[in-house]
Amino acid sequence: TREKQGHPNPISDLSNVKPIHLGLHTVTRQMHCSVTYLYRKEPDAPLGTATVGHFRRKLGESLARRIPSEVMDEVDMILPVPETGKAYAQGLANKLQLPYVEGIFKGNSKRSFDIQSFDKRRMLLFSTLRVIAESVAGKSVMVVDEAIFTGATLKVVSQLLRNAGARRVYVAIPSPEVRFSC
């Protein structure tokens, strides 16, 4: 290998790498971007001594202490945004001892995160997301998704839930504010 021949491993020694667009520095930095663990990695992927799914459930549990008690008194159930909000919603529902209900389902496997245009994302979401009306009608629901990128998903989900008869829609996001792009 290169290291045995006296050459440094380019991934482990980044001291001389200059930041260039889509260069080694960018790729290496993005390997540890929070979005990778919040959104892109599979739940069974390793993360330290646990899995990404465990990390996501713990983030969901941590939401519980940030939700005002007057809001929690109103909430009847926790709903995940499919598929990305499931583990977060499970953690939150478990911590708050509220029902976890998959009242929203996705009919298409294309991920809206990869679509940059707000309007195109919104159109895709309206065409793929469905709400099980009998699950939410007359209920006050808390929707959990991993992050807010453009707001398109949560706007569409909120409108679909209201159209299905949800009394109130609250939104809970476990990820911190993203201030710098990966």
Side-chain angles (χ1 to χ4, degrees):
T1 68
R2 291 178 50 87
E3 285 182 276
K4 288 179 183 174
Q5 297 169 351
H7 299 285
N9 179 336
I11 299 299
S12 63
D13 180 17
L14 298 176
S15 59
N16 294 323
V17 176
K18 304 289 185 245
I20 57 173
H21 182 67
L22 294 181
L24 178 61
H25 181 269
T26 301
V27 170
T28 302
R29 187 181 63 193
Q30 288 183 349
M31 287 179 359
H32 302 293
C33 174
S34 63
V35 171
T36 299
Y37 298 104
L38 292 169
Y39 187 80
R40 291 202 183 274
K41 292 272 187 183
E42 294 296 329
D44 63 345
L47 180 60
T49 59
T51 63
V52 168
H54 177 77
F55 166 74
R56 290 175 180 167
R57 280 187 300 282
K58 289 296 185 187
L59 273 179
E61 289 176 10
S62 73
L63 277 173
R65 65 178 178 268
R66 298 182 154 242
I67 298 171
S69 59
E70 61 270 11
V71 171
M72 288 319 311
D73 291 342
E74 285 281 321
V75 175
D76 297 312
M77 66 181 66
I78 307 293
L79 284 93
V81 170
E83 294 296 312
T84 58
K86 286 183 177 182
Y88 305 106
Q90 289 167 352
L92 180 61
N94 183 50
K95 189 74 168 181
L96 297 175
Q97 298 179 337
L98 285 171
Y100 166 87
V101 177
E102 291 189 24
I104 306 165
F105 68 97
K106 197 170 193 176
N108 180 338
S109 62
K110 185 166 182 164
R111 300 191 77 171
S112 64
F113 172 80
D114 296 319
I115 300 172
Q116 297 302 311
S117 165
F118 177 84
D119 290 331
K120 287 180 182 177
R121 261 180 109 166
R122 211 173 86 125
M123 287 176 18
L124 174 70
L125 291 164
F126 267 118
S127 70
T128 61
L129 292 177
R130 301 286 182 265
V131 173
I132 302 170
E134 68 251 15
S135 296
V136 301
K139 305 285 184 188
S140 185
V141 301
M142 181 167 287
V143 177
V144 182
D145 202 4
E146 86 286 356
I148 299 175
F149 295 104
T150 66
T153 300
L154 293 171
K155 285 182 180 183
V156 168
V157 165
S158 295
Q159 186 172 350
L160 290 171
L161 288 166
R162 286 192 302 270
N163 291 350
R167 187 168 37 91
R168 283 211 167 96
V169 178
Y170 295 96
V171 174
I173 305 294
S175 63
E177 177 183 357
V178 176
R179 293 181 182 216
F180 303 102
S181 172
C182 296

